[in-house]
Amino acid sequence: MKSPIEFNSAADLINTIYAKIDKNQVENTNNILNAWDKVVSSIKPDGLKLAAHSRIIDLKNNILLVETDHPGWTQLLQMRRKFILKGLKIEFPRLHINTIAFKLKSDNFKQLGTQLTPTYDDIDKIIDKRLENEEKEEVHTQKKETKSTINPELKKRLDSLRDIILTNS
């Protein structure tokens, strides 16, 4: 049986603990946390809010685990996952981060009586605005692809069908 280590003071205990910490690992961790803030903050227009409401809690098996304080922030970050991954890969290519997983924090990041959690209306407005822009881009892209690949006869019949539906509504 191992004998317990004896300490003469709390300072001895603290010095022993800090002596075992790898300073390079602490520096790398700080660099990754700063990169998260840098990449997420660069998202327009809500990047600063996204960074304030999220934080990295683990990196394991090439999966970055991020904690958010509200499901709405998680959703907004998921919508920007590709952008964030690209930014992190540029900052830290040796980490080989393949994906981001999200976890909801249970105590809602409260700060000295001020709750950072937005209202559901705030989140809904942000999500609606994002979806509108993304849906517009997606529809525009789909229209371009459809116009170039659709059979002219089929297009004529579909247009006719659309007209019938619109006049009978």
Side-chain angles (χ1 to χ4, degrees), residues 11-23:
D12 290 340
L13 175 64
I14 291 171
N15 286 333
T16 301
I17 291 170
Y18 278 103
K20 294 180 181 180
I21 295 175
D22 181 2
K23 292 174 186 164

Side-chain angles (χ1 to χ4, degrees), residues 117-149:
T117 306
T119 66
Y120 282 103
D121 289 337
D122 293 339
I123 297 296
D124 286 342
K125 287 176 188 173
I126 292 170
I127 291 170
D128 288 344
K129 187 175 182 179
R130 290 267 188 251
L131 288 177
E132 285 174 13
N133 292 337
E134 288 184 8
E135 285 173 351
K136 286 176 187 174
E137 289 175 24
E138 187 177 329
V139 167
H140 183 68
T141 303
Q142 287 175 352
K143 281 183 180 178
K144 277 185 177 178
E145 290 171 0
T146 303
K147 283 181 182 178
S148 63
T149 61

Side-chain angles (χ1 to χ4, degrees), residues 104-121:
L104 186 62
K105 187 169 183 175
S106 59
D107 64 352
N108 292 333
F109 286 138
K110 292 183 182 171
Q111 259 190 0
L112 302 174
T114 305
Q115 190 169 347
L116 293 174
T117 306
T119 66
Y120 282 103
D121 289 337

Side-chain angles (χ1 to χ4, degrees), residues 39-95:
V39 171
V40 174
S41 295
S42 69
I43 297 171
K44 301 292 180 206
D46 304 311
L48 293 174
K49 289 180 183 178
L50 287 169
H53 293 278
S54 63
R55 67 187 181 117
I56 294 175
I57 58 173
D58 199 3
L59 174 61
K60 190 173 186 179
N61 299 328
N62 301 335
I63 300 171
L64 187 67
L65 182 59
V66 174
E67 185 174 65
T68 64
D69 61 355
H70 190 277
W73 296 118
T74 300
Q75 187 172 8
L76 290 171
L77 286 165
Q78 285 174 331
M79 290 168 58
R80 298 291 183 225
R81 182 187 314 246
K82 287 181 183 177
F83 176 85
I84 295 168
L85 278 172
K86 185 177 181 179
L88 291 174
K89 285 179 181 182
I90 290 169
E91 293 286 326
F92 293 99
R94 62 183 160 69
L95 289 181

Side-chain angles (χ1 to χ4, degrees), residues 148-162:
S148 63
T149 61
I150 195 164
N151 178 316
E153 183 61 32
L154 178 60
K155 183 183 181 322
K156 183 177 175 184
R157 289 183 185 207
L158 289 173
D159 288 342
S160 174
L161 181 61
R162 184 193 63 219

